[in-house]
Amino acid sequence: MNIRIVLALALATTALLSLPAMAQKSGGTLVQITQPEPPNLAPYISTSAPIGQVTAKVFDGLLEYGFDLKPKPSLAESFEVSPDGKSITFKLRKDVKFHDGKPFTSEDVQFTIMEVLKKNHPRGIATFRDVTAVDTPDAHTAIFRLATPAPVILKALSSYESPIVPKHIYGQGDIKTHANANTPIGSGPFKFGEWRRGEFVRLDKNPNYWRAGLPYLDRLVVRFIADASTRTAALEKGEAHVAGLGAVPYNDAKKLAARPNIEVSTKGTEMISPMVELLFNTKQAPFDNPKVRQAISYAADRNFTIENVWFGFGKPAMGIISSNFQPSGLFAPGIDFTVADRIERANKLLDEAGFPRKADGTRFEFTHDITPYGEEWQRFGETIQQNLAQIGVKATLRYEDLPKWLKRTYTDYDFAVTSNFLFNLADPVLGVHRAVHSDRIRPGTVFVNGSRWSSPETDALMDKAAVEPNEAARGKLYAEFVQKVSEASPIAYILEVTYPTVINKQFKNVIDTPLGIYGNFATVHRE
């Protein structure tokens, strides 16, 4: 057969498969459980985790992403980066309307980037730092002008991370107290319908969505159920259909997976990359000594923790950068703290550091502050306590409420060791640099460099990687960076969590993005 005919047939087949309305069943209501209830529906000024689970369905981004972490078209049909990396030209779709019927144009992109995300979004302030202007030569072209190359931008343009908002709505009044903060208007597959506080948010199908035939669902209801056992029961009974990002206890997720009407997926964390860690106060003895920090890291039994605390939903962390970055070439392992003789190595390091065992078998003691995020964190604290007892280190556990813990850790630095939980996010610039860069030692700012460790060498490596447009070159810089951080061990990286998403089998294609439940659900359909 002629190769041109083969290609034509392949293209025709692909075209037929891409006709959504003909291939899938439309209609129905999907009930999603999100816990806790979001404080608002303003993802452009807040990164509170529950918000995006709702609003990523309401807003669109310029791009979306495949499981290979590469960008795919969304509001932008295409993009082109200039040879010097200092401009990115986006060609925008011409058939997009916001939920109020007004057309989407380049002015909305300019307003969103320059006036909203760059000034007000907690991560956008850093992501778009080098954007000096967004030019709008016509209604469907937006050109980002950059002071320096910033490859991170192309990883941060999803509806979850950088929602595009309509200028004619959000450009009126103060964006921080905007009237539509709880009644959002976007261009996404679902329109805001109702928010009944303490119960649910209802989102309705956008009949004028630019992706023809989508969404399949008529309605999406996001329920808020405070009690964990009630959330599990709702999924068992089919009263709710989807729950993720910790909404279901890990042990319950394991049990639910055995039910014939339920599947549990661990896909959908590839661009979130949650990391469980132990954060050391490197300005306080004995944790000002890297040998002590390495010893603690060796003593932590990662495999036991994964199986008995997170019920198998994770894998050992190999350094400050998640293995989810492997497809993009930005992952590199640090020291292997899971070796068979890890306890012997830990004991040797503590002896070398000048902390011999006393008559009672202990070397020193400290207070371990437990992250106040729930039951598994208390079990994690108890596990670390037992691990450290093996090397003669006594840990006393302290569990406080979230405001006290945040102040103690990030404002007062009044801690020795604390468990912690940070997302690596879509690019190391977004989620990794904040943990160890000198410029992220900011008293009062949460989830940044709480260890207060940094070095000119690692700062320089991060700064170079942030502006390096070549992925292979970036990978080499990060490999060197990971090794140096691993040797200093200001943070003990314990495991990469693979969040379980519980899904009723009557619904298909729920997790079709590396953002998981932060996806827009446009292609979710009933069986």
Side-chain angles (χ1 to χ4, degrees):
M1 185 178 289
N2 186 290
I3 189 65
R4 291 184 180 178
I5 297 175
V6 172
L7 285 172
L9 287 172
L11 289 169
T13 302
T14 301
L16 286 171
L17 290 175
S18 69
L19 293 175
M22 294 177 64
Q24 311 297 351
K25 185 177 181 180
S26 293
T29 297
L30 181 142
V31 178
Q32 170 184 307
I33 295 176
T34 289
Q35 181 59 31
E37 184 171 9
N40 57 56
L41 298 178
Y44 43 84
I45 59 170
S46 176
T47 56
S48 176
I51 296 174
Q53 294 180 46
V54 179
T55 58
K57 287 77 172 159
V58 175
F59 295 100
D60 282 319
L62 286 176
L63 301 172
E64 292 298 337
Y65 302 87
F67 284 102
D68 59 1
L69 307 188
K70 293 180 179 178
K72 301 194 302 184
S74 185
L75 291 180
E77 291 183 319
S78 65
F79 65 88
E80 183 179 356
V81 181
S82 64
D84 64 1
K86 291 187 178 182
S87 70
I88 310 171
T89 300
F90 294 92
K91 292 297 183 182
L92 308 178
R93 295 192 64 88
K94 300 177 181 178
D95 54 353
V96 178
K97 291 185 178 180
F98 290 107
H99 296 156
D100 64 352
K102 301 287 187 182
F104 158 71
T105 72
S106 57
E107 286 195 7
D108 300 302
V109 177
Q110 181 188 61
F111 169 73
T112 298
I113 301 301
M114 298 305 295
E115 300 302 322
V116 180
L117 302 179
K118 183 177 168 70
K119 295 180 179 179
N120 299 285
H121 190 276
R123 294 192 289 262
I125 291 169
T127 303
F128 301 108
R129 178 188 59 194
D130 294 316
V131 180
T132 58
V134 174
D135 293 345
T136 57
D138 61 57
H140 301 103
T141 303
I143 305 172
F144 288 21
R145 302 295 184 187
L146 311 177
T148 61
V152 63
I153 289 174
L154 290 176
K155 302 287 183 66
L157 296 176
S158 69
S159 57
Y160 161 65
E161 184 68 20
S162 300
I164 298 297
V165 301
K167 179 181 179 180
H168 66 276
I169 298 290
Y170 292 91
Q172 309 299 314
D174 185 350
I175 193 69
K176 293 182 179 178
T177 57
H178 200 275
N180 288 92
N182 295 324
T183 55
I185 294 175
S187 62
F190 294 93
K191 302 170 64 173
F192 174 79
E194 176 187 7
W195 186 355
R196 194 173 295 177
R197 296 280 183 168
E199 296 183 51
F200 64 82
V201 166
R202 191 192 83 244
L203 304 177
D204 299 323
K205 178 175 183 171
N206 175 8
N208 300 311
Y209 191 45
W210 55 268
R211 292 178 69 185
L214 297 179
Y216 295 121
L217 296 171
D218 288 332
R219 187 170 292 109
L220 175 63
V221 175
V222 184
R223 290 184 61 188
F224 315 118
I225 304 172
D227 180 68
S229 60
T230 305
R231 294 196 294 272
T232 299
L235 290 159
E236 283 179 323
K237 296 174 184 177
E239 295 170 359
H241 310 116
V242 176
L245 292 176
V248 176
Y250 295 92
N251 57 332
D252 283 357
K254 200 115 183 175
K255 294 173 187 174
L256 287 169
R259 298 183 66 86
N261 64 323
I262 287 175
E263 67 170 310
V264 174
S265 174
T266 55
K267 292 178 69 177
T269 60
E270 293 83 355
M271 287 192 85
I272 304 170
S273 300
M275 302 276 275
V276 171
E277 61 188 45
L278 293 174
L279 180 69
F280 300 110
N281 187 340
T282 64
K283 303 301 181 184
Q284 181 183 115
F287 302 106
D288 55 350
N289 187 324
K291 288 188 175 183
V292 172
R293 302 193 296 260
Q294 277 198 22
I296 300 296
S297 198
Y298 274 117
D301 191 338
R302 289 159 175 78
N303 290 315
F304 180 90
T305 297
I306 290 166
E307 292 305 316
N308 295 279
V309 178
W310 270 270
F311 293 91
F313 293 107
K315 58 183 177 179
M318 297 301 291
I320 188 170
I321 294 181
S322 168
S323 63
N324 283 338
F325 287 108
Q326 207 149 15
S328 60
L330 302 183
F331 167 74
I335 295 170
D336 185 358
F337 289 106
T338 66
V339 291
D341 63 341
R342 58 187 182 78
I343 296 299
E344 290 80 359
R345 293 193 190 196
N347 278 315
K348 184 173 183 292
L349 284 164
L350 290 178
D351 289 339
E352 292 173 357
F355 294 97
R357 289 182 185 266
K358 302 170 190 171
D360 64 357
T362 63
R363 300 175 185 271
F364 61 84
E365 58 183 282
F366 70 93
T367 297
H368 174 189
D369 286 285
I370 302 171
T371 308
Y373 282 173
E375 194 176 302
E376 67 265 23
W377 292 94
Q378 291 175 300
R379 292 198 305 270
F380 177 51
E382 292 162 2
T383 298
I384 294 298
Q385 186 181 49
Q386 293 165 11
N387 294 162
L388 297 185
Q390 292 181 274
I391 60 171
V393 175
K394 182 180 178 182
T396 300
L397 304 181
R398 177 166 56 196
Y399 190 86
E400 299 177 314
D401 62 31
L402 183 59
K404 284 182 182 177
W405 177 77
L406 288 172
K407 184 175 185 294
R408 180 184 294 281
T409 304
Y410 291 107
T411 299
D412 300 335
Y413 303 113
D414 181 22
F415 72 98
V417 179
T418 181
S419 54
N420 206 1
F421 190 50
L422 287 183
F423 288 177
N424 266 194
L425 298 168
D427 189 277
V429 174
L430 297 175
V432 175
H433 291 200
R434 60 177 168 165
V436 290
H437 200 292
S438 297
D439 70 8
R440 306 302 167 86
I441 302 174
R442 300 177 181 177
T445 301
V446 300
F447 302 121
V448 289
N449 189 344
S451 76
R452 291 180 291 167
W453 175 88
S454 64
S455 80
E457 285 182 292
T458 54
D459 283 352
L461 287 167
M462 285 183 279
D463 292 342
K464 288 178 183 176
V467 300
E468 174 55 60
N470 182 277
E471 290 282 78
R474 287 189 87 202
K476 289 179 181 178
L477 290 167
Y478 279 126
E480 185 180 352
F481 161 74
V482 168
Q483 194 59 38
K484 290 184 182 299
V485 173
S486 191
E487 289 166 0
S489 289
I491 301 165
Y493 294 94
I494 308 300
L495 71 126
E496 301 175 8
V497 176
T498 49
Y499 275 123
T501 301
V502 179
I503 305 167
N504 189 299
K505 287 183 179 178
Q506 69 174 296
F507 291 94
K508 303 298 181 184
N509 215 36
V510 173
I511 304 299
D512 68 344
T513 163
L515 286 164
I517 206 165
Y518 289 125
N520 67 17
F521 284 14
T523 61
V524 176
H525 58 275
R526 295 179 301 162
E527 190 171 36

